[in-house]
Amino acid sequence: MDAAEEPELAVCHRHLKGLLSSGDRETFRALMAQARHLTNRSYETSLYDHQQTFRLLWHHLDHVGHLSRLSQEARSRLASGRASAEESEELELFLTLYRRITAPEADESRRGHL
């Protein structure tokens, strides 16, 4: 594939440029915005661009340990019953994604111990 055939990654490049200067909370908000783009099929550019952006943000937040901490906080927040309907919806979406994405890793680590 030459440069002319490569898909445009405008959204991904925009987030890549700001990744190191953004805090984890801001990056998480961007991650959830990408999740909403993907689940609602409302793309600023293309499906591929938003998928790559989601992967970039997810891997960054996972690498710094933010996703693990946030999954614990999200479960506690939902269990408390103090989250608004909108916040609960977002937390549930995150936890669903977290379980689905991290489940294969857990399965792999269990296989190694059998």
Side-chain angles (χ1 to χ4, degrees), residues 55-99:
R55 287 181 182 116
L56 169 75
L57 298 172
W58 185 276
H59 287 294
H60 171 74
L61 289 170
D62 190 38
H63 180 73
V64 298
H66 188 71
L67 295 178
S68 176
R69 287 188 303 274
L70 192 57
S71 70
Q72 294 169 355
E73 290 174 17
R75 283 190 286 274
S76 296
R77 181 80 175 143
L78 286 170
S80 76
R82 293 184 304 231
S84 68
E86 185 178 310
E87 181 185 9
S88 292
E89 184 179 313
E90 181 140 315
L91 292 173
E92 288 171 5
L93 174 59
F94 166 68
L95 289 172
T96 299
L97 291 168
Y98 187 78
R99 281 189 297 269

Side-chain angles (χ1 to χ4, degrees), residues 3-4 12 25 27 29 32 36-37 50 59 61 64 80-81 102 105:
C12 192
R25 293 281 178 187
T27 302
R29 283 192 297 276
M32 294 310 295
R36 285 189 299 279
H37 280 296
H50 287 279
H59 287 294
L61 289 170
V64 298
S80 76
T102 60
E105 294 170 6

